[in-house]
Amino acid sequence: MSFDLHRPATVTEAIDLAQRFAPTARYVAGGTDTVIQINRKKIDPAHLIDVACLPGLSEITETADAFTLGALTKYRSVETHPAFQGDLRMLLEAASVVGGHQVRNIATIGGNIVNASPAADFVPPLLALDASLDITGPTGRRSVALRDFIIGPGRTHLSPVEIVTSIRFAKLPARSATAFLKEGRRRAMEISVVCVAACLTLEASTSRCASVRLAIGAASPKAFRPEQAEGYLIGKPAGKESFAEAGRLAAEASSPISDVRASAGYRRGLVAVMVERALTTCLQRIREQNQ
Ligand SMILES: Cc1cc2nc3c(=O)[nH]c(=O)nc-3n(C[C@H](O)[C@H](O)[C@H](O)COP(=O)(O)OP(=O)(O)OC[C@H]3O[C@@H](n4cnc5c(N)ncnc54)[C@H](O)[C@@H]3O)c2cc1C
């Protein structure tokens, strides 16, 4: 393993370096995915461009109707941010199960998205929030929906010289709650066998579902939204029967693989159970908020 390490001071400088050393350059933030890929000889970059210290990309900002997370935000910052203790709790729950403390203190959410693992834990909650990515490249800025950004395992619509700068999503309406569940072979330091993010909003004065957004990780080549399950729930009474049916529909929409961690059949069964459980947790949380 041999590479030159560059420490640009600005996004523009980072992009200039990436262009100068293309195609043998690679951005690195926390390095927790990149170093493993280098060690396993999956990649062999001659130049690593360290973006971890670029100014202004690690902040979590809140406006009246939206949140923006800098791409270099670390899981530790999400876990401890007061804004994610309430209706956006799934972000805290996803952040707090990524690796161990050392990983969460250094790894970034932007790295999780760009790495595009089907089992990436922070992608489903952002997908369930309809998040968009802000991207800067040599010709300027663009914005892309997260659901269009990841193409498949390890593949995205990012060119090698572009930098993801932030992730944006709208706040939730009243009577909303979220939940994230992860199932791994061990409790800690383990990638997901399946993970589920759920975002439920009830109608203003009934216990019927007004809006449901679900996202499932590690059960298909990329995290996905089971649209039939989401659509089925609209207008239905929130409760065991309808949540179980949504779980069944979500399992039907998944296309898991069998690997050393679990069989495809087991994963599909997990999807059904975990979707039902995540929605039940959301419902409990809405009730608690409104007591
Ligand atoms: C021990 C261990 C346990 C782990 N456990 C989990 C887990 O439980 N769940 C989970 O989801 N992941 C886990 N991971 C994977 C990893 O920690 C996460 O995916 C992490 O979020 C990657 O972030 P990073 O900043 O370290 O990425 P890096 O390794 O720095 O970068 C990853 C990729 O993203 C690109 N990149 C990074 N930032 C940007 C940017 N701003 N713009 C453009 N490109 C960028 C890099 O070029 C590289 O291709 C684990 C890793 C380790 C080592």
Side-chain angles (χ1 to χ4, degrees):
M1 175 200 330
S2 159
F3 50 77
D4 290 336
L5 183 64
H6 305 269
R7 289 235 156 87
T10 63
V11 170
T12 310
E13 207 182 305
I15 292 168
D16 286 346
L17 284 164
Q19 284 184 294
R20 176 152 30 120
F21 296 118
T24 60
R26 195 148 179 137
Y27 294 124
V28 62
T32 57
D33 278 318
T34 305
V35 170
I36 286 177
Q37 286 165 9
I38 293 174
N39 282 339
R40 290 182 182 161
K41 302 197 186 319
K42 285 189 176 163
I43 57 170
D44 184 21
H47 299 270
L48 282 185
I49 303 168
D50 184 359
V51 295
C53 293
L54 291 180
L57 304 192
S58 313
E59 278 97 46
I60 298 175
T61 47
E62 181 178 0
T63 60
D65 49 11
F67 280 98
T68 303
L69 313 185
L72 300 176
T73 299
K74 297 183 173 64
Y75 297 103
R76 180 78 187 134
S77 307
V78 176
E79 273 182 272
T80 53
H81 201 286
F84 306 138
Q85 310 283 330
D87 60 358
L88 288 167
R89 200 168 167 76
M90 70 174 163
L91 292 172
L92 182 159
E93 290 173 326
S96 64
V97 293
V98 173
H101 290 290
Q102 295 96 328
V103 168
R104 298 203 293 278
N105 277 322
I106 182 173
T108 66
I109 61 172
N112 196 242
I113 295 168
V114 177
N115 192 55
S117 159
D121 282 318
F122 211 68
V123 171
L126 293 174
L127 211 50
L129 289 169
D130 278 329
S132 298
L133 309 183
D134 293 317
I135 295 170
T136 301
T139 55
R141 293 179 190 177
R142 67 186 175 103
S143 178
V144 58
L146 175 59
R147 68 188 307 163
D148 300 326
F149 179 74
I150 297 175
I151 306 167
R155 293 173 53 232
T156 69
H157 279 297
L158 193 73
S159 94
V161 297
E162 285 181 312
I163 293 184
V164 178
T165 54
S166 57
I167 300 110
R168 279 181 294 112
F169 52 86
K171 285 186 174 173
L172 300 176
R175 286 168 65 78
S176 298
T178 60
F180 176 84
L181 297 177
K182 168 174 177 168
E183 196 57 43
R185 286 208 307 177
R186 288 176 283 136
R187 283 245 163 260
M189 301 290 277
E190 174 64 299
I191 65 165
S192 287
V193 169
V194 167
C195 60
V196 168
C199 180
L200 173 68
T201 305
L202 295 186
E203 288 176 358
S205 53
T206 76
S207 58
R208 290 180 182 274
C209 302
S211 156
V212 181
R213 289 180 276 167
L214 299 163
I216 293 157
S220 51
K222 60 178 197 166
F224 73 102
R225 295 268 298 271
E227 284 169 13
Q228 258 206 301
E230 293 176 336
Y232 161 80
L233 281 171
I234 305 305
K236 295 271 183 332
K240 189 165 177 40
E241 203 179 308
S242 56
F243 292 167
E245 177 60 8
R248 196 191 64 73
L249 289 169
E252 215 172 74
S254 65
S255 51
I257 54 163
S258 295
D259 64 9
V260 288
R261 290 192 174 79
S263 68
Y266 181 69
R267 281 197 164 97
R268 206 171 270 120
L270 274 181
V271 170
V273 171
M274 289 168 70
V275 163
E276 179 184 347
R277 209 172 278 169
L279 287 165
T280 305
T281 303
C282 291
L283 182 59
Q284 279 164 358
R285 288 179 177 170
I286 296 172
R287 286 181 176 151
E288 282 162 18
Q289 284 161 24
N290 289 286
Q291 265 170 9

